[in-house]
Amino acid sequence: MAHEDKIVEYVSRYVSLSVSEVAQLSVSFKEIKVKKRQFIVQPNFVAQHRYYVLNGAFRAYVVDDNGQDHTIAFAIDDWWITDYNSYILQQPATMFVVALEDSAVLQMDYKSEQELKSSNHKFETFFRIRAERTAAFMQQRIISNLTQTAEERFERFVEKYPLIVQRVPQYALASYLGMTTEFLSRIRNKRTTKKS
Amino acid sequence: MAHEDKIVEYVSRYVSLSVSEVAQLSVSFKEIKVKKRQFIVQPNFVAQHRYYVLNGAFRAYVVDDNGQDHTIAFAIDDWWITDYNSYILQQPATMFVVALEDSAVLQMDYKSEQELKSSNHKFETFFRIRAERTAAFMQQRIISNLTQTAEERFERFVEKYPLIVQRVPQYALASYLGMTTEFLSRIRNKRTTKKS
DNA sequence: CGAATTTCCTAAACCAGATCATTTTCTATT
DNA sequence: AATAGAAAATGATCTGGTTTAGGAAATTCG
């Protein structure tokens, strides 16, 4: 499948597109190569794009007053990423989004997205569903953070996203799950010794 | 302002409505009175409605395996509430939603919402914006939980939502902020003695 | 290749916040 | 205004997870 078509396939999971709509969608995205450690979003700049990951891995994080970073989101193949607050509300970003591997993404810019949504009810529907799913996903994470212990959060994450666990550095996963890398190391160690 | 018109005013903040659209919107909502301690969403039943609060106060919470409850959301006048995951994905709810006071709400049911959205691009836009704001709000909460101490979370909450602090019981606020009611009590006490 | 830099792991002291137990204050209802 | 029940406060103790510090392994890059 050509790269430009992956996004068509993605959107088609939610709304069925005519030939002309497919064309309109395709031209709204631009393929970009991103090198490992390169930033695609930085604090204090308004996030102008949202990104659909063709292949690679990304991490979005904030740095707190004590200089510690906290991972807000991951994205690998077929996921989306940006500083959501910044992009949606067109406010200065508070997050970094960085490539964890050499990657390829499709870049959608804010204006094109607005045009897509206002020109065609179907695209509006697509982005509405995306936003709903995003909210539902985030609510699950809030519940998980409130109700589960560090160990349970890790176990659940491994079950749900084994591919991500394999691909991201441990310090990034620890800070996503709201614990230190030392503690995650302890959990992992306990688990593997238990099994043997 | 008549109760049925409050929702028109609300939706009009995001999209401008014609006379016929106003009519269509109004009939999609039903006004309901809810007594204090009455539940409007319960676990294992699919949430059939979302609720716009005309006046009153609500609390959404989950009960974990140890029997402890965790507040997921509050809603007072002019806010929305339901079990979002259940309503959006039409899956069995995991949350309770209960009235903290005698209240009045406008009830939107799932089917009517779908019809509204598919019949008219404007309503689709409205719900898309709602979902985006919800996601942005939740992301802020995730960041706050990851980066701030219990005390900082409380201080921030007081600044942002002073009206809610005054209206909800302390144990509910503590469980929303991810701490015990005892600990919140200590924080509050420390604060007031510091000031005098 | 080999040096430098990241990443990962271990261990022990330490602390923010939880738990437990009891008392005090608030709120409803009769 | 009396009684009961729920909510909030307070003190004592405990613990899950952090901090600090160090070393081992893996990646990166000249």
Side-chain angles (χ1 to χ4, degrees):
Chain A
M1 182 158 53
H3 283 166
E4 319 80 58
D5 294 341
K6 278 214 176 167
I7 191 67
V8 171
E9 195 257 316
Y10 188 100
V11 175
S12 299
R13 289 178 216 162
Y14 299 101
V15 290
S16 62
L17 300 175
S18 73
V19 176
S20 71
E21 285 159 350
V22 164
Q24 192 188 357
L25 184 64
S26 295
V27 300
S28 299
F29 284 91
K30 187 176 162 194
E31 186 175 342
I32 308 269
K33 301 283 181 192
V34 186
K35 284 276 181 200
K36 182 167 177 174
R37 276 182 222 103
Q38 192 181 324
F39 291 91
I40 55 177
V41 175
Q42 274 176 296
N44 304 320
F45 296 89
V46 174
Q48 300 290 358
H49 310 97
R50 71 162 96 208
Y51 302 90
Y52 170 79
V53 181
L54 290 166
N55 56 73
F58 290 85
R59 168 181 174 241
Y61 64 98
V62 294
V63 179
D64 71 18
D65 301 339
N66 306 316
Q68 288 186 303
D69 48 298
H70 302 271
T71 302
I72 308 306
F74 291 115
I76 57 173
D77 309 29
D78 200 41
W79 290 53
W80 296 82
I81 197 160
T82 189
D83 178 333
Y84 200 79
N85 278 277
S86 173
Y87 183 73
I88 291 303
L89 305 169
Q90 288 289 285
Q91 291 171 353
T94 58
M95 301 180 358
F96 294 91
V97 180
V98 68
L100 296 170
E101 307 171 0
D102 290 352
S103 306
V105 299
L106 292 178
Q107 183 185 64
M108 159 66 81
D109 80 72
Y110 185 75
K111 264 198 171 171
S112 307
E113 180 178 323
Q114 297 314 111
E115 282 163 21
L116 225 47
K117 284 187 294 204
S118 61
S119 75
N120 189 322
H121 191 148
K122 278 185 198 170
F123 293 125
E124 186 76 86
T125 301
F126 168 74
F127 284 106
R128 186 261 300 166
I129 295 173
R130 274 283 77 220
E132 282 176 355
R133 305 278 165 128
T134 301
F137 177 91
M138 288 182 181
Q139 182 162 287
Q140 279 310 115
R141 190 170 168 201
I142 290 170
I143 293 175
S144 164
N145 285 339
L146 286 175
T147 60
Q148 290 164 225
T149 63
E151 192 163 352
E152 286 166 344
R153 292 198 301 277
F154 172 67
E155 296 290 353
R156 281 278 186 87
F157 192 89
V158 172
E159 283 168 28
K160 275 176 130 172
Y161 311 108
L163 295 176
I164 291 183
V165 176
Q166 287 164 29
R167 263 167 103 170
V168 305
Q170 188 150 284
Y171 67 84
L173 179 55
S175 80
Y176 179 90
L177 295 172
M179 67 187 82
T180 58
T181 168
E182 290 90 338
F183 196 70
L184 178 54
S185 167
R186 211 148 78 177
I187 291 172
R188 281 186 123 138
N189 193 256
K190 198 167 76 181
R191 215 166 68 108
T192 48
T193 52
K194 223 190 284 174
K195 279 190 178 169
S196 62
Chain B
M1 182 158 54
H3 282 165
E4 319 79 56
D5 294 339
K6 280 215 175 167
I7 192 67
V8 170
E9 195 256 316
Y10 189 100
V11 174
S12 299
R13 290 179 215 162
Y14 300 100
V15 290
S16 62
L17 301 175
S18 72
V19 175
S20 72
E21 285 160 350
V22 164
Q24 193 188 356
L25 183 64
S26 295
V27 300
S28 299
F29 284 90
K30 188 177 161 192
E31 187 177 342
I32 307 269
K33 301 281 182 195
V34 187
K35 283 275 181 201
K36 182 168 177 173
R37 280 183 217 100
Q38 192 180 324
F39 291 91
I40 56 178
V41 175
Q42 274 176 296
N44 305 320
F45 296 88
V46 174
Q48 301 290 356
H49 309 98
R50 70 162 98 208
Y51 302 89
Y52 170 79
V53 180
L54 290 167
N55 56 73
F58 291 84
R59 167 181 176 239
Y61 64 97
V62 294
V63 179
D64 71 17
D65 302 340
N66 307 317
Q68 287 186 302
D69 48 298
H70 302 272
T71 302
I72 308 306
F74 291 115
I76 57 173
D77 310 29
D78 199 43
W79 291 53
W80 295 82
I81 198 161
T82 188
D83 179 333
Y84 200 79
N85 278 277
S86 173
Y87 182 72
I88 290 302
L89 304 170
Q90 288 289 287
Q91 291 170 354
T94 58
M95 298 177 7
F96 294 89
V97 180
V98 69
L100 296 170
E101 307 170 0
D102 291 351
S103 307
V105 299
L106 291 178
Q107 182 186 65
M108 158 66 81
D109 81 71
Y110 185 75
K111 265 199 172 171
S112 307
E113 180 177 324
Q114 297 315 111
E115 281 162 20
L116 225 46
K117 286 187 293 204
S118 61
S119 75
N120 189 322
H121 191 149
K122 279 185 198 169
F123 292 126
E124 187 75 85
T125 301
F126 169 74
F127 284 106
R128 187 259 301 164
I129 295 172
R130 274 282 79 220
E132 282 177 353
R133 305 275 166 131
T134 302
F137 177 92
M138 287 183 183
Q139 181 162 287
Q140 279 310 115
R141 190 171 170 201
I142 291 171
I143 292 175
S144 163
N145 285 339
L146 286 174
T147 60
Q148 289 164 226
T149 62
E151 194 163 350
E152 286 166 346
R153 292 198 301 275
F154 172 66
E155 296 289 356
R156 279 276 191 88
F157 192 90
V158 172
E159 282 168 28
K160 276 175 127 172
Y161 311 107
L163 293 177
I164 291 183
V165 176
Q166 288 165 27
R167 262 168 102 167
V168 306
Q170 186 149 287
Y171 68 84
L173 179 54
S175 81
Y176 180 90
L177 294 172
M179 67 186 82
T180 57
T181 172
E182 291 94 333
F183 197 70
L184 178 53
S185 168
R186 277 166 234 264
I187 290 172
R188 280 188 123 139
N189 194 255
K190 198 168 76 183
R191 217 166 69 108
T192 48
T193 52
K194 222 190 287 176
K195 279 190 180 170
S196 64

